[in-house]
Amino acid sequence: MNTAWTWTFDRYDPKTERVVEALCTLGNGRFATRGAAPESPADAVHYPGTYAAGCYNWLPSEVAGKQVGNEDMVNLPDWTRVRYRCLPEDGPAGEWLTPDDASLRHHRAVLDLHAGILTRRMLFQDGHGRRLGVTHTRLVHMADPYLAAQQSTFRASGWRGTIEIQSVLDGDVTNAGVARYRALNGRHLTGHRAGVGADGIAWLSCETTSLRTRIGIAVRTSSRPLAAMNQSCTEAATAQTFRLPISRGHPVVVLKAAALYSSLDRPAGDPLTSAVEHVTHAPDFATALAGHQAAWEDLWSRGEVKVPGEAGRILRLHAFHVLQTLSPHTAELDVGVPARGLHGEAYRGHVFWDELFVTPYLTLHLPEVARAVLMYRHRRLPAARAAARRAGRPGAMFPWQSASSGHEETQTLHLNPRSGRWLPDHSHLQRHVGSAIAWNVWRYAQTTGDTGFLYGPGAELLMSIARYWGAAADYDTDRERYRIRGVVGPDEYHDAYPGAATPGIDDNAYTNVTAAWVLARALELAAELPRTRMRQLEQQLDLDAEVLNRWEDVSRRLHVPLHGDVISQFEGYGDLAELDWDAYRARYTDIRRLDRILESEDDTVNRYQASKQADTLMLGYLFRPDELHDIFARLGHRLDDDLWRATVAYYLQRTSHGSTLSSLVHGWVLARHKGPDAWRYCEEALLGDVMDIQGGTTGEGIHLGAMAGTLDLIERGIVGLEVGPDGLRIDPVPLREVPRCSFTVDCLGHRGIHIRFVPGKLGIEVPSSRTAPPLPLCLPDGVTADLPAGRQRWFPMEAG
């Protein structure tokens, strides 16, 4: 039975097993292991995978007759593997058993979110009625970021004899978890050495082929009852084999404790030596589980978003995966926000703009982690500045896809699996990623009050991005406006004008408006900074009065295209052909990846008014209606409710929702404006990974931005929570489908502010503190209050 805290998969289905593996991934912010059955190696059904945050490697491949290079998050050696077979007294030895064996009678996988453990239960029965029950319980330790453990229990019924169990540490792994990447070189590990020490600890060391990251894994396997083991080793794997007596009422238990280290760890040391030492002193399973559960309990006290019903159950799953991808341990690492978590190899484990959807949640619940992922960007400023210089611009031009170094990692070719053709990839022209970083910097500083960050690395990030935008905008004398040309917007479908010889479109509304916002914030920060710090930035970024004056001018005169009574997604969008949406839906049913469909028909989506995901409407995600009105007013445009509603309606009819982020943004925008279909889109965002709505993508890794975004939808979208210089602002837009919610946040120096939103009223409790000042509140209808530490108040709210 599913409960509020458990996800149960009662049936083994090879077609959906990879989705189960992704959704049952366990991690601790430093590394994660997919929820694959330990009996099975990687094959067409199963894909065991372990990934360490920030562990990438670059490999060359030949694609369509061209040499291309790709940097991937590396699939590390498999520590989970366990093989077993029955040797009954009254019959021949059985085969090695797996979930795919014909003798499997029952299967259940249970993910316990509260405890952070995965349990797989199987029952096998042969033709003579002999039964073997198997239970695997796995954890990736949340308190000890180097440790994982798996306990396997075997129970016999209807027979007695011996069970042969083999504990395997397998380093012969590749990156092969995404079908469309399999033409690429996926063998990232080399230099394998493996062995078993005199103390029975199996060990394996290797390194990545080009970046030379060293990996050390050690596994301590023990059994109950105790038994001697045979061991064998190859260059890349170890196998430890037990033969143990088994009968009804006398189960067999095998425990694997694993320690994982790499040369990315600090302080530096030999990964293999560290791993062996660590696993040697690892606690027994019960003790490890207790410490692990205590760490999760503390994490849930900070990160849970409580909503009743099925929506709340899914939100808890989303929070679970966000928290185990980006935990407090992540704050100690040099890593960004991987778009697909540490759950699979889609997008090659790269960092995109998805932090735009993840960092707001982190900022409110784990601000130290939010700061850390922003520092990942700050450390890569030199690479972003070098990219801008190569483009002939000052400032910082951040890559669309980032990995270890901060260089552009976007592929130059991508495969259309529908047509089988490799096509040029121009998505690196999505320059708006810089604005996403700047927005996160600003929101983090506003929410936390962390002026040390804002005046230090935050100011350098924000002003470097502004420096780029100020120069990237060219003045058009005919329009008397600045324009940003040759980009790709969040839509991603449109990477060129029909028939154009060069890629890129002009004046993407989202790109231009957010660039104007960045420039305005940079000017505001320049006026606020201490003079000595500003002088330092002037020297560092080559700022002078002329540059700042240009920022002022560009921030007020960037072109925002319109056609008819709507904001144009980009200049010329309204001139494109209309698509016969009904005909394509009738022909293909699922048209989320309309671009692939059209290309397979020797057509191009560039010819049509058709968007993959929210683009212009992303402005309604980033900015409250009053904020957006002010930004447009600064640009000399009047943005009233009629224009915005018409724009929303226009793009709703022309979007295929080929990204999990699309339904999230549309639901958010409609909720803010009390649109009648708001919940339909919110619900699709909730179900995106749970139901694998995108059709086979979840098994390649969950969509972290959509998961965190649904949590943010409750807190900032529905409750309307924002933090700024005037305090904690709350302006709810209730949905009847979310009748109540509660959560705990950190802001403005207060940790553990408890917020409860129920029909007609809002409760806020500020924890006790001897030093924290009262929390200023800004509520609807101009209501303000200062809530002292240690106090709780309820405020009436207008019913939605």
Side-chain angles (χ1 to χ4, degrees), residues 33 48-51 74-80 168-174 189 192 204-207 215-217 236 260:
T33 295
T50 292
Y51 309 97
V74 179
N75 184 18
L76 299 178
D78 180 13
W79 64 272
T80 67
V168 178
L169 174 57
D170 185 9
D172 188 19
V173 298
T174 64
L189 298 177
H192 294 79
L204 173 67
S205 69
C206 53
E207 66 179 11
I215 309 297
I217 298 182
L260 168 65

Side-chain angles (χ1 to χ4, degrees), residues 443-516:
R443 288 254 52 94
Y444 167 81
Q446 295 287 296
T447 301
T448 62
D450 186 353
T451 54
F453 173 80
L454 180 62
Y455 291 177
E460 192 178 354
L461 275 165
L462 184 58
M463 291 195 174
S464 295
I465 295 164
R467 190 77 171 93
Y468 171 78
W469 281 134
D474 298 321
Y475 188 68
D476 185 331
T477 55
D478 293 335
R479 294 177 183 266
E480 296 184 340
R481 286 275 181 176
Y482 290 91
R483 307 184 66 188
I484 298 176
R485 305 174 190 266
V487 300
V488 170
D491 159 49
E492 293 189 332
Y493 272 177
H494 297 88
D495 63 358
Y497 287 101
T502 56
I505 47 90
D506 300 335
D507 298 312
N508 172 252
Y510 174 82
T511 300
N512 285 15
V513 172
T514 55

Side-chain angles (χ1 to χ4, degrees), residues 82-98:
V82 173
R83 304 175 71 203
Y84 48 88
R85 60 178 179 165
C86 301
L87 308 174
E89 289 180 347
D90 59 348
E95 299 295 324
W96 297 106
L97 294 172
T98 75

